[in-house]
Amino acid sequence: MRSDAAAPADGPLLTRLSQWACDLRPTDVPERVRALATSQILAQIAAIRAGLRHSRSAALLRAYGPIHQPDPRRCAVVLGALGSWLNLDDTAYAGHLAPSTVAVPLAWALAGRTDGRSLVNAVVVANECAARITAAATLGPLRGQSALHTHLAGAVAGRLASEGASARRWANAMSLAFAAPPWPAMHAFLGGDAKLVHVVTPVRAAMDACDAAAAGLTGPPDVLEHPRGFLARFATVPLPDLVTEELGRRWHTDTLSFKLRPGGPGIDAAVDCAVELHREVRGTPVAGVEIAASVYTLFAGRLAEGYEAGPDTPLSALLLGTGYPVATALLTGDLRVEDFDSRELRDPARWALARTVRLVHDPQMSRQLFASVAPFGAALRRAGERARPWLSQFVGAELAELALVAAEEADSDETFREATKATPARVTVRLADGRSVTRERSVPLGAAGPDTRRRHGELVRGKFLAQGGTVAVADSFGAGLTDTTAGELSALLYAALTEDR
């Protein structure tokens, strides 16, 4: 049977999505998709380890308990929060998926309730459900980590796939979860510690919705598409067809981008360039740094600017900005978790260099951004002219025209098998001796594209080892993961999260 054969051809979106998700079996998933999900599991474990290494983790653990708890619902909350606050969570078109789509199945597997094959399958199912619902609302006021509704879908799907729940329970749990989706206040998100716990609310709400559905409570199955439903409020340009279109043939897991260093997704290419330039500028006084980038990077930078206060900048704003991360990479040749903690943040040389960083817009880079599948291109191609009002509000009328043309002219990858995420940057460093050195990158290291498809296993292995994981554990993540029993998997995941090399 085809993986999408059991999905009804019509009816409410959640009914159709839930039936497909409930019926999906590991053998229905292409091998390349399973391999990406396996890498995603190790990558998110690395992100959780990174969260544990930061000094702020102590407060989070005091609030919510340790990473390994008897109740997987509580464990899921802690794993989700730890793996998200440093922007090391892996993304897709569309959404920051892993803090729910991986963390929740991990919690069930840690508790010894699923084997390796079921874990990978649960992650794929959760990815597909969360990414599709997020895609339907991508052209709206919330995006990236502020789109907390991603984790409502991801957490419900991750749990129910791990439990083998019925399609009826799936649909009711999803509907109950989306009855009151969270809407963050960006001032709190950027100006304090709220971002450190932003995943807690949607994951907890999803767990409650699953419990309510198990007890027999119900919700309207058309809560997504109803005129007074989710998309009507959360999407400027609703794209409801994306929730169920090409189920079992188009895999959003194919669009995964792996975060290899902390920091917002808009800065990745600039940091990659700065790491390369470190060898050339080391020991030479720098007169100034210019970063040419797309409107996406400039938008994130503008959000962070209002919260900049040198070493006292709130962590969430620091991760979103460009100056400090690029200055750190130029000076040290890397960007690590420790660079966002107290001692390194007090380094005056980094802040002196950060103050020389100038961010400028490159229209051609914006064209590359909007032509790629992630983070917006696929949605823009689907919306067409309907997206103009949203684009005008987001980037202005002139760039809206550029974006629509770029999206229309781009090669359409309807299957997502060749998906890319272009967030380009060009870093030019002016040296005090009069010389200038430049590096440019279109697709950041680890982002969706040919390089990542070819060697994602190698890249996430490096991410795991960089966060202190052991070689022995890293070697256990691969094709053999699906053959582990529930007991073996629980022990392996505990070691992956706790053992240090």
Side-chain angles (χ1 to χ4, degrees):
M1 179 183 291
R2 292 178 62 90
S3 62
D4 59 332
D10 52 23
L13 294 177
L14 285 181
T15 299
R16 295 154 62 188
L17 182 66
S18 296
Q19 188 66 63
W20 175 83
C22 178
D23 289 346
L24 188 73
R25 299 293 177 263
T27 52
D28 297 324
V29 181
E31 174 55 36
R32 71 177 191 283
V33 175
R34 291 199 300 270
L36 282 163
T38 301
S39 288
Q40 186 188 11
I41 293 168
L42 185 60
Q44 191 61 15
I45 289 172
I48 293 167
R49 293 182 64 97
L52 284 167
R53 293 175 66 193
H54 195 280
S55 62
R56 299 299 286 159
S57 68
L60 187 140
L61 296 178
R62 285 196 300 272
Y64 303 111
I67 60 171
H68 196 199
Q69 303 186 43
D71 186 347
R73 295 172 298 183
R74 294 181 61 85
C75 178
V77 168
V78 178
L79 295 180
L82 284 170
S84 62
W85 82 45
L86 294 170
N87 288 81
L88 269 165
D89 51 318
D90 302 311
T91 64
Y93 169 72
H96 284 244
L97 304 181
S100 55
T101 66
V102 176
V104 174
L106 276 181
W108 259 251
L110 267 174
R113 302 189 184 188
T114 56
D115 59 18
R117 189 176 304 275
S118 298
L119 170 63
V120 174
N121 195 62
V123 170
V124 172
V125 171
N127 282 344
E128 298 305 314
C129 291
R132 286 170 171 272
I133 292 175
T134 304
T138 286
L139 303 182
L142 303 176
R143 63 191 61 84
Q145 288 191 331
S146 70
L148 301 182
H149 48 269
T150 298
H151 302 307
L152 291 177
V156 168
R159 173 178 171 177
L160 296 187
S162 298
E163 294 180 342
S166 68
R168 179 177 177 81
R169 186 179 167 202
W170 271 84
N172 282 323
M174 282 285 193
S175 179
L176 290 166
F178 277 88
W183 189 298
M186 290 307 295
H187 175 57
F189 202 79
L190 293 172
D193 286 338
K195 182 175 175 294
L196 276 64
V197 295
H198 74 278
V199 172
V200 170
T201 296
V203 171
R204 277 185 161 175
M207 298 299 99
D208 288 343
C210 290
D211 290 341
L217 298 183
T218 64
D222 61 350
V223 69
L224 297 182
E225 69 270 32
H226 191 275
R228 293 191 298 276
F230 166 73
L231 288 176
R233 183 179 178 194
F234 279 72
T236 306
V237 186
L239 301 171
D241 290 350
L242 297 185
V243 176
T244 57
E245 188 176 79
E246 298 291 335
L247 280 167
R249 288 188 287 266
R250 178 188 302 152
W251 298 91
H252 281 249
T253 302
D254 272 326
T255 71
L256 278 172
S257 289
F258 297 97
K259 284 285 295 181
L260 304 183
R261 299 187 183 94
I267 71 168
D268 289 340
V271 171
D272 288 343
C273 292
V275 168
E276 292 182 18
L277 288 167
H278 165 73
R279 291 184 292 272
E280 294 192 42
V281 305
R282 183 171 44 191
T284 305
V286 174
V289 180
E290 180 181 275
I291 302 172
S294 75
V295 66
Y296 183 51
T297 302
L298 269 68
F299 177 80
R302 285 197 300 270
L303 286 177
E305 278 177 6
Y307 299 90
E308 289 180 359
D312 297 317
T313 302
L315 178 61
S316 51
L318 193 66
L319 290 160
L320 201 61
T322 308
Y324 175 82
V326 168
T328 298
L330 280 170
L331 289 172
T332 69
D334 202 356
L335 187 64
R336 309 161 303 148
V337 171
E338 292 81 1
D339 295 318
F340 292 93
D341 222 329
S342 53
R343 188 179 69 176
E344 280 75 3
L345 280 175
R346 298 289 166 183
D347 180 359
R350 300 185 187 193
W351 289 104
L353 182 56
R355 285 191 289 271
T356 74
V357 174
R358 188 168 71 99
L359 196 58
V360 299
H361 180 232
D362 185 318
Q364 183 57 37
M365 290 183 175
S366 287
R367 182 180 292 273
Q368 293 177 48
L369 167 77
F370 292 119
S372 63
V373 166
F376 310 115
L380 292 177
R381 279 193 287 279
R382 173 52 60 90
E385 188 61 30
R386 289 187 296 143
R388 187 179 294 275
W390 177 82
L391 278 167
S392 296
Q393 185 178 31
F394 179 33
V395 300
E398 183 177 346
L399 283 177
E401 181 63 29
L402 178 150
L404 288 172
V405 171
E408 183 179 346
E409 291 179 349
D411 291 334
S412 179
D413 179 17
E414 295 297 333
T415 67
F416 290 165
R417 291 192 63 169
E418 304 298 324
T420 59
K421 182 179 183 180
T423 52
R426 180 174 60 254
V427 178
T428 300
V429 180
R430 292 184 294 105
L431 303 173
D433 62 11
R435 293 181 296 124
S436 291
V437 289
T438 300
R439 288 292 186 279
E440 182 172 342
R441 192 176 189 100
S442 177
V443 176
L445 190 65
D451 181 62
T452 297
R453 279 189 288 277
R454 184 173 62 253
R455 61 188 190 106
H456 56 83
E458 172 192 341
L459 292 171
V460 302
R461 176 187 173 89
K463 177 179 178 177
F464 177 73
L465 296 177
Q467 301 308 323
T470 67
V471 171
V473 168
D475 287 343
S476 300
F477 281 81
L481 183 69
T482 58
D483 296 326
T484 55
T485 66
E488 293 168 342
L489 180 62
S490 178
L492 172 62
L493 294 178
Y494 187 75
L497 290 164
T498 60
E499 288 184 3
D500 293 314
R501 64 170 182 265

